mmCIF file of all heavy atoms in Angstrom:
data_model
loop_
_atom_site.group_PDB
_atom_site.id
_atom_site.type_symbol
_atom_site.label_atom_id
_atom_site.label_comp_id
_atom_site.label_asym_id
_atom_site.label_seq_id
_atom_site.Cartn_x
_atom_site.Cartn_y
_atom_site.Cartn_z
ATOM 1 N N VAL X 1 7.955 8.253 -8.512
ATOM 2 C CA VAL X 1 7.904 8.545 -9.942
ATOM 3 C C VAL X 1 8.698 9.822 -10.201
ATOM 4 O O VAL X 1 8.755 10.705 -9.337
ATOM 5 C CB VAL X 1 6.444 8.682 -10.419
ATOM 6 C CG1 VAL X 1 5.742 9.830 -9.715
ATOM 7 C CG2 VAL X 1 6.348 8.829 -11.921
ATOM 8 N N GLN X 2 9.293 9.913 -11.364
ATOM 9 C CA GLN X 2 10.064 11.096 -11.715
ATOM 10 C C GLN X 2 9.141 12.239 -12.138
ATOM 11 O O GLN X 2 8.021 11.999 -12.616
ATOM 12 C CB GLN X 2 11.031 10.765 -12.848
ATOM 13 C CG GLN X 2 12.142 9.831 -12.447
ATOM 14 C CD GLN X 2 13.190 9.675 -13.536
ATOM 15 O OE1 GLN X 2 12.951 10.027 -14.689
ATOM 16 N NE2 GLN X 2 14.356 9.169 -13.166
ATOM 17 N N PRO X 3 9.603 13.464 -11.979
ATOM 18 C CA PRO X 3 8.802 14.600 -12.466
ATOM 19 C C PRO X 3 8.469 14.438 -13.942
ATOM 20 O O PRO X 3 9.319 14.024 -14.743
ATOM 21 C CB PRO X 3 9.732 15.796 -12.236
ATOM 22 C CG PRO X 3 10.590 15.377 -11.090
ATOM 23 C CD PRO X 3 10.814 13.894 -11.276
ATOM 24 N N GLY X 4 7.216 14.758 -14.279
ATOM 25 C CA GLY X 4 6.742 14.577 -15.639
ATOM 26 C C GLY X 4 6.153 13.206 -15.907
ATOM 27 O O GLY X 4 5.549 12.987 -16.961
ATOM 28 N N GLY X 5 6.321 12.313 -14.978
ATOM 29 C CA GLY X 5 5.823 10.960 -15.144
ATOM 30 C C GLY X 5 4.362 10.805 -14.784
ATOM 31 O O GLY X 5 3.677 11.786 -14.450
ATOM 32 N N SER X 6 3.888 9.564 -14.856
ATOM 33 C CA SER X 6 2.484 9.251 -14.591
ATOM 34 C C SER X 6 2.375 8.141 -13.554
ATOM 35 O O SER X 6 3.292 7.325 -13.401
ATOM 36 C CB SER X 6 1.787 8.805 -15.881
ATOM 37 O OG SER X 6 1.789 9.833 -16.844
ATOM 38 N N LEU X 7 1.232 8.148 -12.900
ATOM 39 C CA LEU X 7 0.940 7.120 -11.910
ATOM 40 C C LEU X 7 -0.572 6.944 -11.870
ATOM 41 O O LEU X 7 -1.321 7.921 -12.048
ATOM 42 C CB LEU X 7 1.460 7.543 -10.538
ATOM 43 C CG LEU X 7 1.923 6.496 -9.544
ATOM 44 C CD1 LEU X 7 3.043 5.625 -10.134
ATOM 45 C CD2 LEU X 7 2.422 7.173 -8.266
ATOM 46 N N ARG X 8 -0.997 5.726 -11.627
ATOM 47 C CA ARG X 8 -2.431 5.458 -11.525
ATOM 48 C C ARG X 8 -2.724 4.855 -10.162
ATOM 49 O O ARG X 8 -2.208 3.781 -9.808
ATOM 50 C CB ARG X 8 -2.896 4.510 -12.631
ATOM 51 C CG ARG X 8 -4.418 4.356 -12.718
ATOM 52 C CD ARG X 8 -4.808 3.485 -13.899
ATOM 53 N NE ARG X 8 -6.255 3.388 -14.079
ATOM 54 C CZ ARG X 8 -6.961 4.234 -14.825
ATOM 55 N NH1 ARG X 8 -6.360 5.225 -15.460
ATOM 56 N NH2 ARG X 8 -8.275 4.069 -14.951
ATOM 57 N N LEU X 9 -3.550 5.528 -9.405
ATOM 58 C CA LEU X 9 -3.986 5.032 -8.111
ATOM 59 C C LEU X 9 -5.331 4.342 -8.255
ATOM 60 O O LEU X 9 -6.146 4.726 -9.104
ATOM 61 C CB LEU X 9 -4.110 6.176 -7.103
ATOM 62 C CG LEU X 9 -2.889 7.065 -6.896
ATOM 63 C CD1 LEU X 9 -3.178 8.106 -5.818
ATOM 64 C CD2 LEU X 9 -1.679 6.253 -6.536
ATOM 65 N N SER X 10 -5.548 3.354 -7.407
ATOM 66 C CA SER X 10 -6.827 2.664 -7.399
ATOM 67 C C SER X 10 -7.311 2.508 -5.966
ATOM 68 O O SER X 10 -6.507 2.365 -5.039
ATOM 69 C CB SER X 10 -6.709 1.302 -8.066
ATOM 70 O OG SER X 10 -7.968 0.688 -8.203
ATOM 71 N N CYS X 11 -8.613 2.557 -5.801
ATOM 72 C CA CYS X 11 -9.230 2.366 -4.489
ATOM 73 C C CYS X 11 -10.324 1.326 -4.640
ATOM 74 O O CYS X 11 -11.258 1.509 -5.437
ATOM 75 C CB CYS X 11 -9.794 3.675 -3.974
ATOM 76 S SG CYS X 11 -10.800 3.534 -2.486
ATOM 77 N N ALA X 12 -10.204 0.249 -3.880
ATOM 78 C CA ALA X 12 -11.203 -0.819 -3.905
ATOM 79 C C ALA X 12 -12.086 -0.694 -2.672
ATOM 80 O O ALA X 12 -11.582 -0.652 -1.546
ATOM 81 C CB ALA X 12 -10.521 -2.172 -3.945
ATOM 82 N N ALA X 13 -13.376 -0.630 -2.896
ATOM 83 C CA ALA X 13 -14.333 -0.461 -1.803
ATOM 84 C C ALA X 13 -15.098 -1.749 -1.554
ATOM 85 O O ALA X 13 -15.422 -2.490 -2.489
ATOM 86 C CB ALA X 13 -15.313 0.661 -2.129
ATOM 87 N N SER X 14 -15.382 -1.994 -0.290
ATOM 88 C CA SER X 14 -16.215 -3.132 0.088
ATOM 89 C C SER X 14 -17.058 -2.734 1.290
ATOM 90 O O SER X 14 -16.709 -1.825 2.044
ATOM 91 C CB SER X 14 -15.362 -4.357 0.397
ATOM 92 O OG SER X 14 -14.477 -4.096 1.458
ATOM 93 N N GLY X 15 -18.185 -3.423 1.441
ATOM 94 C CA GLY X 15 -19.049 -3.162 2.589
ATOM 95 C C GLY X 15 -20.021 -2.019 2.386
ATOM 96 O O GLY X 15 -20.695 -1.621 3.342
ATOM 97 N N ILE X 16 -20.077 -1.463 1.184
ATOM 98 C CA ILE X 16 -21.013 -0.384 0.887
ATOM 99 C C ILE X 16 -21.743 -0.679 -0.416
ATOM 100 O O ILE X 16 -21.291 -1.505 -1.211
ATOM 101 C CB ILE X 16 -20.297 0.984 0.749
ATOM 102 C CG1 ILE X 16 -19.264 0.950 -0.387
ATOM 103 C CG2 ILE X 16 -19.679 1.413 2.068
ATOM 104 C CD1 ILE X 16 -18.665 2.293 -0.724
ATOM 105 N N ILE X 17 -22.885 0.007 -0.601
ATOM 106 C CA ILE X 17 -23.556 -0.042 -1.903
ATOM 107 C C ILE X 17 -22.872 1.016 -2.753
ATOM 108 O O ILE X 17 -23.250 2.191 -2.773
ATOM 109 C CB ILE X 17 -25.055 0.226 -1.761
ATOM 110 C CG1 ILE X 17 -25.672 -0.797 -0.806
ATOM 111 C CG2 ILE X 17 -25.741 0.144 -3.131
ATOM 112 C CD1 ILE X 17 -27.131 -0.565 -0.504
ATOM 113 N N PHE X 18 -21.831 0.590 -3.430
ATOM 114 C CA PHE X 18 -20.877 1.484 -4.073
ATOM 115 C C PHE X 18 -21.550 2.493 -4.992
ATOM 116 O O PHE X 18 -21.186 3.668 -4.994
ATOM 117 C CB PHE X 18 -19.858 0.649 -4.852
ATOM 118 C CG PHE X 18 -18.755 1.441 -5.482
ATOM 119 C CD1 PHE X 18 -17.634 1.804 -4.744
ATOM 120 C CD2 PHE X 18 -18.822 1.806 -6.821
ATOM 121 C CE1 PHE X 18 -16.609 2.531 -5.323
ATOM 122 C CE2 PHE X 18 -17.807 2.535 -7.415
ATOM 123 C CZ PHE X 18 -16.694 2.894 -6.657
ATOM 124 N N ARG X 19 -22.526 2.059 -5.762
ATOM 125 C CA ARG X 19 -23.086 2.927 -6.795
ATOM 126 C C ARG X 19 -23.797 4.148 -6.192
ATOM 127 O O ARG X 19 -24.040 5.123 -6.896
ATOM 128 C CB ARG X 19 -24.061 2.153 -7.665
ATOM 129 C CG ARG X 19 -25.278 1.627 -6.937
ATOM 130 C CD ARG X 19 -26.200 0.844 -7.852
ATOM 131 N NE ARG X 19 -27.379 0.358 -7.155
ATOM 132 C CZ ARG X 19 -27.420 -0.780 -6.491
ATOM 133 N NH1 ARG X 19 -26.354 -1.541 -6.428
ATOM 134 N NH2 ARG X 19 -28.531 -1.146 -5.880
ATOM 135 N N ASN X 20 -24.127 4.095 -4.916
ATOM 136 C CA ASN X 20 -24.814 5.212 -4.275
ATOM 137 C C ASN X 20 -23.878 6.312 -3.816
ATOM 138 O O ASN X 20 -24.294 7.454 -3.610
ATOM 139 C CB ASN X 20 -25.603 4.730 -3.058
ATOM 140 C CG ASN X 20 -26.785 3.884 -3.430
ATOM 141 O OD1 ASN X 20 -27.236 3.880 -4.576
ATOM 142 N ND2 ASN X 20 -27.307 3.151 -2.460
ATOM 143 N N PHE X 21 -22.613 5.963 -3.647
ATOM 144 C CA PHE X 21 -21.690 6.858 -2.960
ATOM 145 C C PHE X 21 -20.955 7.796 -3.904
ATOM 146 O O PHE X 21 -20.592 7.427 -5.027
ATOM 147 C CB PHE X 21 -20.643 6.044 -2.193
ATOM 148 C CG PHE X 21 -21.127 5.530 -0.870
ATOM 149 C CD1 PHE X 21 -22.069 4.521 -0.813
ATOM 150 C CD2 PHE X 21 -20.634 6.062 0.314
ATOM 151 C CE1 PHE X 21 -22.525 4.053 0.402
ATOM 152 C CE2 PHE X 21 -21.082 5.595 1.531
ATOM 153 C CZ PHE X 21 -22.030 4.589 1.573
ATOM 154 N N VAL X 22 -20.718 9.002 -3.416
ATOM 155 C CA VAL X 22 -19.750 9.886 -4.039
ATOM 156 C C VAL X 22 -18.370 9.371 -3.660
ATOM 157 O O VAL X 22 -18.114 9.027 -2.505
ATOM 158 C CB VAL X 22 -19.911 11.334 -3.555
ATOM 159 C CG1 VAL X 22 -18.836 12.225 -4.170
ATOM 160 C CG2 VAL X 22 -21.297 11.856 -3.866
ATOM 161 N N MET X 23 -17.491 9.303 -4.636
ATOM 162 C CA MET X 23 -16.124 8.839 -4.403
ATOM 163 C C MET X 23 -15.159 9.991 -4.647
ATOM 164 O O MET X 23 -15.363 10.811 -5.555
ATOM 165 C CB MET X 23 -15.784 7.673 -5.327
ATOM 166 C CG MET X 23 -16.706 6.476 -5.214
ATOM 167 S SD MET X 23 -16.709 5.750 -3.552
ATOM 168 C CE MET X 23 -14.997 5.271 -3.360
ATOM 169 N N ALA X 24 -14.116 10.034 -3.832
ATOM 170 C CA ALA X 24 -13.193 11.157 -3.952
ATOM 171 C C ALA X 24 -11.785 10.750 -3.563
ATOM 172 O O ALA X 24 -11.579 9.788 -2.829
ATOM 173 C CB ALA X 24 -13.659 12.320 -3.076
ATOM 174 N N TRP X 25 -10.847 11.511 -4.083
ATOM 175 C CA TRP X 25 -9.445 11.400 -3.673
ATOM 176 C C TRP X 25 -9.042 12.715 -3.005
ATOM 177 O O TRP X 25 -9.378 13.801 -3.478
ATOM 178 C CB TRP X 25 -8.548 11.148 -4.881
ATOM 179 C CG TRP X 25 -8.652 9.767 -5.430
ATOM 180 C CD1 TRP X 25 -9.453 9.338 -6.446
ATOM 181 C CD2 TRP X 25 -7.920 8.624 -4.984
ATOM 182 N NE1 TRP X 25 -9.270 7.999 -6.659
ATOM 183 C CE2 TRP X 25 -8.330 7.529 -5.783
ATOM 184 C CE3 TRP X 25 -6.958 8.400 -4.001
ATOM 185 C CZ2 TRP X 25 -7.815 6.244 -5.615
ATOM 186 C CZ3 TRP X 25 -6.445 7.134 -3.836
ATOM 187 C CH2 TRP X 25 -6.876 6.066 -4.640
ATOM 188 N N TYR X 26 -8.306 12.563 -1.912
ATOM 189 C CA TYR X 26 -7.723 13.684 -1.198
ATOM 190 C C TYR X 26 -6.228 13.424 -1.065
ATOM 191 O O TYR X 26 -5.765 12.294 -1.275
ATOM 192 C CB TYR X 26 -8.337 13.824 0.198
ATOM 193 C CG TYR X 26 -9.718 14.401 0.229
ATOM 194 C CD1 TYR X 26 -10.806 13.712 -0.296
ATOM 195 C CD2 TYR X 26 -9.958 15.650 0.803
ATOM 196 C CE1 TYR X 26 -12.080 14.255 -0.266
ATOM 197 C CE2 TYR X 26 -11.228 16.200 0.851
ATOM 198 C CZ TYR X 26 -12.285 15.491 0.316
ATOM 199 O OH TYR X 26 -13.545 16.033 0.351
ATOM 200 N N ARG X 27 -5.495 14.464 -0.682
ATOM 201 C CA ARG X 27 -4.075 14.265 -0.398
ATOM 202 C C ARG X 27 -3.652 15.152 0.756
ATOM 203 O O ARG X 27 -4.275 16.169 1.041
ATOM 204 C CB ARG X 27 -3.232 14.541 -1.633
ATOM 205 C CG ARG X 27 -3.180 15.997 -2.080
ATOM 206 C CD ARG X 27 -2.408 16.121 -3.394
ATOM 207 N NE ARG X 27 -2.207 17.521 -3.766
ATOM 208 C CZ ARG X 27 -1.687 17.902 -4.935
ATOM 209 N NH1 ARG X 27 -1.316 16.982 -5.841
ATOM 210 N NH2 ARG X 27 -1.548 19.184 -5.205
ATOM 211 N N GLN X 28 -2.559 14.725 1.381
ATOM 212 C CA GLN X 28 -2.075 15.465 2.535
ATOM 213 C C GLN X 28 -0.564 15.354 2.625
ATOM 214 O O GLN X 28 0.006 14.271 2.433
ATOM 215 C CB GLN X 28 -2.709 14.922 3.817
ATOM 216 C CG GLN X 28 -2.435 15.753 5.048
ATOM 217 C CD GLN X 28 -3.268 15.299 6.231
ATOM 218 O OE1 GLN X 28 -3.719 14.156 6.307
ATOM 219 N NE2 GLN X 28 -3.486 16.209 7.176
ATOM 220 N N THR X 29 0.057 16.486 2.929
ATOM 221 C CA THR X 29 1.497 16.514 3.203
ATOM 222 C C THR X 29 1.691 16.946 4.651
ATOM 223 O O THR X 29 0.815 17.583 5.238
ATOM 224 C CB THR X 29 2.218 17.483 2.260
ATOM 225 O OG1 THR X 29 1.597 18.775 2.345
ATOM 226 C CG2 THR X 29 2.142 17.000 0.819
ATOM 227 N N PRO X 30 2.833 16.623 5.234
ATOM 228 C CA PRO X 30 3.070 16.958 6.646
ATOM 229 C C PRO X 30 2.896 18.453 6.915
ATOM 230 O O PRO X 30 3.408 19.289 6.173
ATOM 231 C CB PRO X 30 4.509 16.513 6.871
ATOM 232 C CG PRO X 30 4.723 15.418 5.892
ATOM 233 C CD PRO X 30 3.943 15.819 4.683
ATOM 234 N N GLY X 31 2.147 18.754 7.959
ATOM 235 C CA GLY X 31 1.947 20.137 8.356
ATOM 236 C C GLY X 31 0.859 20.868 7.607
ATOM 237 O O GLY X 31 0.610 22.048 7.876
ATOM 238 N N LYS X 32 0.239 20.178 6.667
ATOM 239 C CA LYS X 32 -0.829 20.819 5.885
ATOM 240 C C LYS X 32 -2.144 20.070 6.064
ATOM 241 O O LYS X 32 -2.160 18.888 6.416
ATOM 242 C CB LYS X 32 -0.454 20.865 4.405
ATOM 243 C CG LYS X 32 0.711 21.781 4.090
ATOM 244 C CD LYS X 32 0.892 21.924 2.588
ATOM 245 C CE LYS X 32 1.997 22.906 2.253
ATOM 246 N NZ LYS X 32 2.162 23.074 0.785
ATOM 247 N N GLU X 33 -3.229 20.765 5.802
ATOM 248 C CA GLU X 33 -4.535 20.124 5.866
ATOM 249 C C GLU X 33 -4.742 19.216 4.650
ATOM 250 O O GLU X 33 -4.174 19.450 3.589
ATOM 251 C CB GLU X 33 -5.637 21.193 5.913
ATOM 252 C CG GLU X 33 -5.674 21.990 7.194
ATOM 253 C CD GLU X 33 -6.912 22.853 7.301
ATOM 254 O OE1 GLU X 33 -7.716 22.862 6.359
ATOM 255 O OE2 GLU X 33 -7.065 23.518 8.338
ATOM 256 N N ARG X 34 -5.577 18.244 4.861
ATOM 257 C CA ARG X 34 -5.934 17.357 3.761
ATOM 258 C C ARG X 34 -6.724 18.165 2.723
ATOM 259 O O ARG X 34 -7.649 18.908 3.087
ATOM 260 C CB ARG X 34 -6.763 16.190 4.292
ATOM 261 C CG ARG X 34 -6.858 15.004 3.386
ATOM 262 C CD ARG X 34 -7.478 13.821 4.117
ATOM 263 N NE ARG X 34 -6.608 13.300 5.164
ATOM 264 C CZ ARG X 34 -6.858 12.170 5.826
ATOM 265 N NH1 ARG X 34 -7.954 11.475 5.564
ATOM 266 N NH2 ARG X 34 -6.027 11.770 6.768
ATOM 267 N N GLU X 35 -6.358 18.022 1.460
ATOM 268 C CA GLU X 35 -7.030 18.808 0.421
ATOM 269 C C GLU X 35 -7.690 17.887 -0.601
ATOM 270 O O GLU X 35 -7.181 16.801 -0.897
ATOM 271 C CB GLU X 35 -6.037 19.740 -0.289
ATOM 272 C CG GLU X 35 -4.961 19.045 -1.072
ATOM 273 C CD GLU X 35 -4.163 19.995 -1.951
ATOM 274 O OE1 GLU X 35 -4.647 21.113 -2.256
ATOM 275 O OE2 GLU X 35 -3.050 19.596 -2.351
ATOM 276 N N PRO X 36 -8.819 18.320 -1.150
ATOM 277 C CA PRO X 36 -9.489 17.517 -2.170
ATOM 278 C C PRO X 36 -8.706 17.531 -3.481
ATOM 279 O O PRO X 36 -8.185 18.564 -3.897
ATOM 280 C CB PRO X 36 -10.848 18.193 -2.337
ATOM 281 C CG PRO X 36 -10.645 19.586 -1.859
ATOM 282 C CD PRO X 36 -9.582 19.537 -0.820
#
């Protein structure tokens, strides 16, 4: 995507009682720790 643009990510879960869980997105770039 170009700078200034938008993107929508989706995560589909299975095998869990979804409504009980905290859900989160993290990201990671090479050489860096995964960040919330």
Side-chain angles (χ1 to χ4, degrees):
V1 62
Q2 291 188 344
S6 298
L7 211 57
R8 189 176 184 90
L9 306 182
S10 187
C11 171
S14 60
I16 60 171
I17 302 175
F18 184 84
R19 63 181 181 274
N20 291 343
F21 279 71
V22 177
M23 303 300 299
W25 286 94
Y26 285 67
R27 69 185 187 187
Q28 189 171 24
T29 54
K32 293 188 176 181
E33 291 190 358
R34 197 169 292 189
E35 65 170 340

